[in-house]
Amino acid sequence: MSSFAIYPAFQRILADDEISPPLAAILALTELIEHSDAGTMFELVQAVEEGAAALKKQASNPISVDAGCSLFIAFVTLFPHDSANFSDLKKELIRQGQTYAAEALTYRKKIAELAFGFIKDGSVILTHSYSRVVMQALLLAHKRKRISVFVTEARPRGLGIKTAEALTAAGVPATVILDSAVAYVMDKVDFVLVGSEAVVESGGLVNAVGSNQIAIIARAANKPFYALAESYKFHRLFPLSQYDLPSHNSKILSFPRPLLADRSPPNQSSFPSEAAPHSDNQPDLVPPRITQEQISQNNPDVDYTRPDLITLVFSDVGSLTPEGVSQYLVGMFAG
């Protein structure tokens, strides 16, 4: 494999606000092929797999990056290898990768138009965090219908504020609510509309942490929970719980060790014998100083929402039930 540095290429591509992590991963792997000195298909597939592994190791959002990498590796592996000239085959892979990425940028518009039919005039919508495709759907609806939007603050990243500011700037009535106020506001809401980091093989959803509890509350209140997801975010992952997600690690939700105070012997001359300090052989604990950064580091960025809590998934391949997502994924990776 050549000395091509894939992660800097990924970061450069991701600097474009229209490019999401899965697409940036696909384009970075396309550039890897362009710079690869592989002379056989076996060597090329190996180089792509090593590049994907390097990306996932360094990316802050490994689940969505893995979705893009898995899709591209499947494409390369299943691509017809009937070209007599291997150099021509590489050029065709590069061309098709770039063509796919360009076409994929149109998916949000398709999804927004599909979701538009489910948004009635006067709808009150609850959304969570920030999602490009959700923003496109809401702005499209605002052009033709009256809507108002509650936006969760979405800690620890706080991206709900970005959503609310963008909606307000476009003239959409929007207000930010605390993550802990979702149940309080749910009775005022017609439906929930969220984006996705990935849609997994069960038809469940991986999205900004808090999505799962919103889905649970929506189900309890009998409100539809819709997810918007580009098909390149469909991922062959089958988590059974939150702790099966690749992003989970031992530091998340860990209990920090208490800090012990210095218990060096005091200056005896400063204490009269009848007023000696009482000791019960228990350690003195230092009162903790907890910062927002510590809270963020000790909490997950994403969570998993079970398929039975999701009403529909709107994608560029249609409006799908969670079961429909499973069937589509099987066909997508079967070639």
Side-chain angles (χ1 to χ4, degrees), residues 2 10 29 37 72 169 183 192-193 223 246 268 272 278 291 296 321:
S2 70
F10 171 78
L29 290 173
D37 53 11
F72 190 75
V192 179
L193 196 66
K223 301 296 176 70
Q268 296 297 327
H278 173 70
T291 65
S296 295
T321 62

Side-chain angles (χ1 to χ4, degrees), residues 114-135:
L114 188 62
F116 177 79
F118 287 77
I119 302 175
K120 296 179 181 179
D121 187 48
S123 289
V124 179
I125 303 165
L126 173 63
T127 191
H128 181 54
S129 190
Y130 179 84
S131 162
R132 298 174 184 87
V133 66
V134 169
M135 282 298 303

